[in-house]
Amino acid sequence: MLGDIETVLESSVRLGHIFLFAALGEYVAERAGTINISLEGMLLAGAYGGALGASETGSPVFGIFAGIIAGFLVAYLQALLSHRLNIDQFVVGIALTVLVIGLTTFLFLEIKMIPGRIHEFEIPLLVEIPLIGKALFAQRWLGYVAFFLPVLIWRMVNHTRWGLEVRSVGEDPAAANVNGIPVLKRRRQSIYVAGLCAGLAGAYLSLAVTGAFSQNMSAGKGVVAIAAVLFGGWTLVGTIFGSFLFGFADALGLSLQIIGLDIIPGPILDSMPYLLALIGLLTIANLSRKPAALASKFDPSGDSS
Amino acid sequence: MKIFLFSEKDRSENNFFKLFDSAYLNDTRKLLFAFLVLFCLAGGLFFSGLLVAAVGGSPTKVLSSLIEGSFQTSGAFGRTLVEAVPLLLVSIGVIVSFRAGHYNIGTEGQVAIGALFSAVIALQVSGPEWFVIVLAILGSFLGGAIWSGIAVGAYLWRRVDVMISTLLLTFIAPNVVLFAVSKDYLLLDTTKSNTRLASQSERVPVEKRLPEFEVFGQELHWGVVVAVVLSLLLTVLLGKSVWGLKVRLLGANFVTAKRFGVTQGKEGATALLLSGGFSGLAGGMIVMGSAFRLQSHIANDFGWDGLLSALVSRLNGYFALLSSIFFAALRTGSSFLAATGVSRTITSVIQGLMVIAALMPAALIVVISRSDFGRKRFGNQKKGEDEC
């Protein structure tokens, strides 16, 4: 029984990292007042880029960089189309996601890939801690980024001039504009951050979790990551908590089926993270205050609507 | 077309935008804009061709085999039209919800639930055949509406973003269907033919399927007629009726809409429920018209493709007729691609590129109006204004 719990914890940390990386980026983007439906596309592009890079160069490190770049490219397109050329950001998000799904599926069949898997790295002593030791300190090494990335994002958003400007752009773009803050530029930059993080999440998915790319392997993980940000009430701690909660739900569904507990039918377990995200959105999200200008359009040449 | 185009301010200040505003459109300008749209769509096809060439295929061969598979071989056009039925229904629903400013992008799930409802009714209700068929189709509408109704309820109760909730529901729906078809007390096929107990329902008996008819040697079913009539009806309602005006007003500016007594709660919810219902209807058409049995992947990307076809039609109900046939042709034609050596998944790339292409006219207008040429000819924007 204890072993089972350990297994569940281990895989929930592993799956939670995917949500975490993506959600941290989306957190920055949402603080700037944008919602990226294309997070799903960025994640998938990152997964494909990671697998392709690792397979072409033979080194997972290059794979990770390739994944991050792939995520950034999608983010660049999203930012370009939605916050420079004024096309509706949701429509752009849908279109880009679909394009990425199509492209990766097609290229996956055209180019054969054998990506290596990122090595496991145990931190001595700490790994001996019962129950959580293996889950936290015997990960594939990319997983340890999860200890640093939230701190980085926290410093960036809360302790730099750039972060202050990003937050002000998300709260009141008109006032920010009057104060000389380039609203659309900050929003674009925040989307780039989302792309970099989602690319990392994708690379982690394909290089550390599964060790291979498969068609449409993100399967809604980007959406759940967005839900994690909403669930966390647009706070960093809440976002981290939400990511791991959804990771836990995902892991629970997988491992209960493997262990063979037949109390809850398989289809319900499969939809656990989505169901939990929905319930979470219904109960907890929107109790807290969201960025006032979330999902609003901003037109620098005129009065805001 | 409000969501693709420009803000009120752009329209009043920038002469170039006036060129394409419906208030200023004369025939030449309409023609010019239509040309721009066509140019962009052609560009999308061109890039698809480039991609085919890049992986070592022949673009012309791919095109000709797509056309052959979807229109030229015997009965292929009929198959394409039958395939277009669910796409058209989903598109029309999406158009209504997008026009109302609610982004219902969970159509794939609503299709699956609609299919589930119609399969339950078709397999388990006894009675005269025509009655069962009508009931199953109505049931599928109800199913889709219920599935989008969850998102509506979440929105009205807690202001949960409709986009996120419908998307999450999309990933739950196939599992609900899978649950239904894997339990023998629900829909699992327990007849002798299904010895391996695959997760699927029994086949809908022949007399309870949508009746078929033949035109010019193409086999169609009555769903085709129903879909075309319904979509034209809804398009006309959206464009000409008071209800349509309210819905479009809500999507254009919900603050103004509120002043006029048009609320998210009433008109917005109606539009979303209608949109879900139409997606469900598409599911019903799939079960009763072409698949005849329920499986967990019954929606088979019809929901997504319908959504894309609505975007490619630029949220215009009449053009949705054409774009859904185009998307259906990609589906039926893709099976003929094996001979060309290019994998059939190229069609999903083409779909994505076409959607991007449909967004491009609006982007191009912005680009031109910001360039030196555009400023000199049409604009009165000061230089450096759009730097941020």
Side-chain angles (χ1 to χ4, degrees), chain A residues 35 37 40 81 84-88 90-92 94-96 98-99 101-103 105-107 109-110 177 181-185 188 215 219-220 223-224 226-227 230 265 267-268 270-271 274-275 277-278 281-283 285-287 290 297 299-303, chain B residues 3-5 7 9-10 13 51-52 55 98 103 105 150 153-154 157-161 163-165 167-169 171-172 175-176 178-179 182-183 307-308 311 341-343 345-346 348-349 351-353 355-356 359-360 362-363 366-367 370 381 385-388:
Chain A
I35 295 183
I37 292 298
E40 176 82 17
L81 291 174
R84 197 191 278 277
L85 301 180
N86 291 349
I87 307 178
D88 188 279
F90 305 121
V91 176
V92 172
I94 299 166
L96 280 178
V98 166
L99 183 64
I101 292 176
L103 261 181
T105 311
F106 175 65
L107 292 177
L109 294 177
E110 292 293 327
N177 188 39
I181 299 170
V183 175
L184 293 183
K185 192 174 185 180
R188 284 201 297 273
Q215 287 182 20
V223 185
V224 177
I226 298 175
L230 307 191
I268 294 180
D270 278 339
S271 45
Y274 313 109
L275 211 57
L278 201 63
L281 288 182
L282 271 177
T283 50
N286 293 17
L287 292 182
K290 60 180 174 184
K297 269 195 152 182
D299 181 7
S301 61
D303 41 16
Chain B
I3 68 156
F4 285 132
L5 297 179
S7 70
K9 189 73 179 176
D10 288 328
E13 285 217 330
L51 188 75
V52 171
V55 296
F98 273 46
Y103 295 84
I105 51 183
I150 299 175
W157 184 38
R158 288 285 192 194
R159 298 282 142 175
V160 175
D161 202 285
M163 215 171 9
I164 307 289
S165 56
L167 254 181
L168 288 172
L169 284 167
F171 295 104
I172 299 174
N175 290 322
V176 173
L178 180 62
F179 182 73
S182 59
K183 294 284 174 263
L307 173 65
L308 301 184
L311 292 180
V342 178
S343 94
T345 50
I346 185 73
S348 50
V349 187
Q351 289 173 359
L353 283 172
V355 177
I356 299 276
L359 301 181
M360 275 301 133
V366 176
V367 170
R370 280 181 190 164
Q381 279 187 344
E385 211 169 45
D386 48 80
E387 287 305 308
C388 47

Side-chain angles (χ1 to χ4, degrees), chain B residues 134-155:
Chain B
V134 171
L135 201 64
I137 293 297
L138 289 179
S140 68
F141 186 90
L142 184 69
I146 286 176
W147 206 242
S148 71
I150 299 175
V152 174
Y155 178 75

Side-chain angles (χ1 to χ4, degrees), chain B residues 98-310:
Chain B
F98 273 46
R99 284 293 186 91
H102 282 299
Y103 295 84
N104 171 22
I105 51 183
T107 45
E108 180 84 357
Q110 291 147 12
V111 170
I113 299 296
L116 172 67
F117 269 60
S118 68
V120 169
I121 293 171
L123 291 173
Q124 301 197 334
V125 173
S126 50
E129 283 99 33
W130 64 268
F131 175 72
V132 175
I133 293 173
V134 171
L135 201 64
I137 293 297
L138 289 179
S140 68
F141 186 90
L142 184 69
I146 286 176
W147 206 242
S148 71
I150 299 175
V152 174
Y155 178 75
L156 293 181
W157 184 38
R158 288 285 192 194
R159 298 282 142 175
V160 175
D161 202 285
V162 168
M163 215 171 9
I164 307 289
S165 56
T166 50
L167 254 181
L168 288 172
L169 284 167
T170 295
F171 295 104
I172 299 174
N175 290 322
V176 173
V177 177
L178 180 62
F179 182 73
V181 293
S182 59
K183 294 284 174 263
D184 49 5
Y185 53 86
L186 291 169
L187 282 176
L188 178 65
D189 181 5
T190 46
T191 50
K192 273 206 181 125
S193 61
N194 190 12
T195 43
R196 286 167 48 229
L197 283 178
S199 296
Q200 58 185 19
S201 73
E202 285 174 40
R203 286 176 80 86
V204 177
V206 178
E207 62 274 9
K208 285 184 186 170
R209 295 173 187 173
L210 285 173
E212 292 179 347
F213 62 93
E214 213 178 289
V215 187
F216 302 120
Q218 311 289 347
E219 280 183 21
L220 305 174
H221 62 64
W222 276 100
V224 178
V225 181
V226 172
V228 171
V229 169
L230 275 181
S231 66
L232 286 179
L233 183 72
L234 210 60
T235 310
V236 171
L237 274 181
L238 196 60
K240 307 282 181 203
S241 74
V242 176
W243 170 79
L245 179 68
K246 284 179 176 173
V247 166
R248 283 180 293 137
L249 180 62
L250 187 63
N253 190 332
F254 71 92
V255 180
T256 314
K258 210 172 172 183
R259 300 277 188 280
F260 281 95
V262 179
T263 58
Q264 309 261 19
K266 213 168 86 200
E267 277 78 8
T270 319
L272 258 179
L273 287 175
L274 206 60
S275 151
F278 268 76
S279 297
L281 205 56
M285 293 291 177
I286 297 169
V287 167
M288 306 291 287
S290 50
F292 305 126
R293 69 161 92 221
L294 192 67
Q295 290 167 332
S296 68
H297 54 272
I298 182 78
N300 195 13
D301 285 349
F302 274 110
W304 292 119
D305 291 356
L307 173 65
L308 301 184
S309 126

